[in-house]
Amino acid sequence: MTYRFSFAILLLLLLTGVAINARSQQRVTITPQYPQRGDLVTVTYDPRSPGAVIPDSVSGITLVFSYSNFYDVATRIPLHRQGTKWTTSFRLAGFATYATFYLESGELIDKPAADSHYPVPVYTGKQPVENGLLYKAYSLSAQRGKSPGLAAEQAALYQQELDHYPGNYEAKIRLLQYKMQHAADAKARETARQQALQVIARKFNSAPTVAGNLNKVTMGYLIIGEKSRVDSIRQVVLKRFPGSGPAIEQLSSNLRKEKDTATRIRLLEQALQKENAKNADDYTGMHDQLFALYAAQRNTEKTLYHARKVAGQRRNPWTAETLKDLATTLQVNRLAPDTARYYAQLALAQADSFPAGVIRHFPETGYIYPFVDDSTRKAVTRKAQANLHSLLALIDLQQARLHEGGLQMDSALAISPDHETLNNATDFYTRTHNTEKLKAVQQLREKILLDKVRRQLISRPAPSLQSFVDMKGKPVSPDALKGKIILIDFWATWCVPCMQEMPYLQQLYEAYKDNPKVVFMVVNSGARNTLADAQGWFGHKKYTFPVYYNTDPDVGEKFRFNIIPATYVIDPKGNIRFANIGFEGAEVAAKLKLQLQLVESASF
C-alpha cells in the first residue's frame, strides 16, 4: 500500500474545487484574491446571479463561519445591502490562517455545493501561510460530515502542507495517524506508529522545558491515541528538569492529589523553598493551594501570606477573577474582612476586564482574545459588578455593617440578578432574617427562570423513537407514546454529569409518575455502552424512572447532540419543544418542570 498521494487524486480534488468556484464566484466574491495577514477582506454576495439561493427580496443576510481560526472576528457577521448586492468586511489578524463560511437568511443557506463551504485561505504572496492546508483539512469535517472519502481527502491536504512546509510537526503526526488507521496489516500500522513516536520524541527534545512545546508534544500523543503518555511525559520533565516551569507546574498538580491535608501542606511548603524572584510566577499554583488549605484551617497569618503571593503574580487575563476568588474564600471562611474587602474592591475596579469567551495563548502570539460583541461584554461586566457588590454585602454583614450591606445588595440585584448574585442575596437575607426580601428574591428567581425557559422554546419534528428498547431488549411500542408529552434524557454509564443529573430526574419523575399525559424515557445513548452495560447499571440503581437503551448509532446526529446528558421535551404532536444539552446543576429540576408545564398547558 502506498501513502504518497498520486497527482491524479490531487488533480481531481483541485479540478472539483475549480468547478465549484467557477459557479459560486458568480454570486460570491472575496477580495483581495490572495488575502494577506493585515488585509481587509471583503465578501460580496449577488442574489441576482445564476444559482443564488438567497433571493433579492430578503431583509437580511448573515455570514456564518463554519470553521475559523479568525478568533478576533465574530462567528456571525451581518451583510449590508449596497445597491443590488450585499457586502461585509473583516480584517485578518497576525495569526489568521484559514476559515470557511456559508451565507444564511432565515431557513435559506447558500454554499458552493452540498458538501462544501466558501473558503478564506490566508497567503504569503501566493502561497498559503503555514498551517493553512492543515487547517483546511480540519475544516472539511464541518462540510463533508461522515463522507467515506473524508479521511483520504484530509490526508492529501496534510501531504500538501508538508510539501510547502516540510517541518510542520502537526501535519506529520496527522499523516502518520492516517497511515496507522489505514495500514494494510499490523506490521505497517506499527511502523507508522513508531515513526510518529520518533517525530514526537524529536519535538520533545527540541525544547523540553518550554510549556508551549510540551503542549504540542502531548497533543501529538493524543492524536495517535497514546493517552497514557500524556501524563508520563510530564513526569519525565519533572524528573529530568525539576527547576523548569512545566516541572514546577506538574509538581503542583501532583501535590494537589495528596489526600492527607497535613502531608500536602508539608510537601507544598517544602517545594516552595526553591522559589526565587525569577521563578515566582511558576509557584503561584502552590501558593493558591496553600491559601485555600490555610483558610480552611482559619490560620489568618499564613492565609494572608499566600493570598499576597497569588495576588502579586504577573498580570494576565484572569487577574480580576483571581482577586474575586481570593475575596470570596476569605469571606466564606470568615477571615480578614478588611483584606477581603480590599481584594473585592480591586476586582470591582477591573470588572470590565473579566474574561468573556475563550482566551487562547500561543508562544508565538501571546494571549489571543476572542471577538466579544458589545452586549456580551456589557453583560459580563454587569455580572462581575453584581457578584462583587453582593460579595461586599456579605463582608459588610460579617462586620455588622447591616445598613451598608443592604445598600450593596440592593445595588447588586439592580445591576444583574444572576445565579451567583441571587444566591448571595438569599444568604444575606436569611442571615439578617429579612423574610420580605427573601420572598422577593425567590419570586425574582422564578421569573428569571421562566423567561429563560420561554426563550428556549423551539419546534422541530422529533426523530423516530423506534431505536429505543427496554431493559429486556423489547422495542418501545409507538402506541404507548402516541399523543403523550415525552421527556427523553440521553445518558451513559461512564458520563459523570449524567450521574449527577439522575437525582433531579428522579425528583421530577416522582412529581409526574401518576400523570397519564407525561412519559419519561431515560435512555442510555449507546455511546461506548452496550445493552448489557445499561442493564447492569439498571439492576443496581436506586431510581424508579423508566430506563431504555438506544440501538441507533446516529441518534446524536438525528437529535442534534454531541454532549450528554441531553434532555428533550416532545409535545403530543411529536415536535421537540425544548432541547437541553449538558448538566446545568441543581437548576435542572425546576427548569425541566417549567418546560413540562408549558408544553402541558400549551402556554407558548
Side-chain angles (χ1 to χ4, degrees), residues 480-495:
L481 304 177
K482 189 175 181 180
K484 304 289 186 181
I485 297 170
I486 308 171
L487 185 145
I488 300 176
D489 179 79
F490 290 102
W491 62 282
T493 58
W494 47 263
C495 171

Side-chain angles (χ1 to χ4, degrees), residues 5-16:
F5 298 93
S6 70
F7 284 109
I9 293 175
L10 294 178
L11 183 60
L12 177 61
L13 293 172
L14 289 171
L15 288 175
T16 302

Side-chain angles (χ1 to χ4, degrees), residues 341-355:
R341 184 187 310 281
Y342 171 72
Y343 287 137
Q345 289 173 336
L346 279 181
L348 182 59
Q350 303 171 44
D352 60 353
S353 69
F354 269 65

Side-chain angles (χ1 to χ4, degrees), residues 112-229:
D115 62 349
S116 68
H117 298 165
Y118 296 105
V120 187
V122 182
Y123 295 86
T124 298
K126 293 186 178 181
Q127 177 173 305
V129 296
E130 185 168 8
N131 291 322
L133 293 164
L134 179 71
Y135 288 6
K136 180 178 180 180
Y138 294 163
S139 77
L140 295 181
S141 298
Q143 302 169 65
R144 307 286 193 266
K146 296 183 179 180
S147 167
L150 174 63
E153 192 174 352
Q154 289 177 315
L157 288 166
Y158 302 150
Q159 183 60 62
Q160 284 183 277
E161 176 71 33
L162 289 169
D163 291 341
H164 287 291
Y165 302 98
N168 191 301
Y169 163 76
E170 192 172 340
K172 289 179 183 179
I173 296 297
R174 290 288 182 186
L175 189 55
L176 287 166
Q177 186 256 354
Y178 173 81
K179 294 180 179 182
M180 289 169 59
Q181 287 187 331
H182 297 81
D185 51 44
K187 182 178 179 180
R189 182 164 52 252
E190 181 59 22
T191 297
R193 175 177 173 272
Q194 290 300 325
Q195 290 173 345
L197 290 174
Q198 290 172 11
V199 172
I200 296 171
R202 286 195 295 271
K203 187 66 175 175
F204 171 71
N205 290 321
S206 69
T209 63
V210 176
N213 188 70
L214 192 57
N215 288 340
K216 292 183 178 180
V217 170
T218 56
M219 176 189 67
Y221 284 130
L222 291 173
I223 289 172
I224 65 171
E226 302 270 348
K227 295 181 180 180
S228 62
R229 292 179 182 261

Side-chain angles (χ1 to χ4, degrees), residues 5-169:
F5 298 93
S6 70
F7 284 109
I9 293 175
L10 294 178
L11 183 60
L12 177 61
L13 293 172
L14 289 171
L15 288 175
T16 302
V18 169
I20 290 172
N21 285 334
R23 293 191 302 269
S24 62
Q25 280 180 355
Q26 297 177 26
R27 59 184 186 273
V28 173
T29 56
I30 302 170
T31 57
Q33 184 178 0
Y34 297 100
Q36 318 280 310
R37 288 169 174 167
D39 283 352
L40 184 69
V41 174
T42 298
V43 176
T44 303
Y45 182 71
D46 185 354
R48 298 185 179 184
S49 290
V53 175
I54 302 173
D56 189 35
S57 58
V58 299
S59 59
I61 302 176
T62 302
L63 182 153
V64 182
F65 284 110
S66 52
Y67 175 89
S68 172
N69 93 313
F70 304 170
Y71 304 125
D72 60 337
V73 177
T75 56
R76 298 176 63 88
I77 307 176
L79 275 68
H80 305 285
R81 187 188 291 274
Q82 288 190 353
T84 61
K85 299 180 181 181
W86 295 76
T87 185
T88 191
S89 300
F90 50 88
R91 192 168 297 280
L92 298 179
F95 52 81
T97 303
Y98 190 83
T100 58
F101 69 88
Y102 56 84
L103 298 173
E104 176 184 275
S105 182
E107 297 295 321
L108 300 173
I109 293 178
D110 193 307
K111 49 189 180 180
D115 62 349
S116 68
H117 298 165
Y118 296 105
V120 187
V122 182
Y123 295 86
T124 298
K126 293 186 178 181
Q127 177 173 305
V129 296
E130 185 168 8
N131 291 322
L133 293 164
L134 179 71
Y135 288 6
K136 180 178 180 180
Y138 294 163
S139 77
L140 295 181
S141 298
Q143 302 169 65
R144 307 286 193 266
K146 296 183 179 180
S147 167
L150 174 63
E153 192 174 352
Q154 289 177 315
L157 288 166
Y158 302 150
Q159 183 60 62
Q160 284 183 277
E161 176 71 33
L162 289 169
D163 291 341
H164 287 291
Y165 302 98
N168 191 301
Y169 163 76

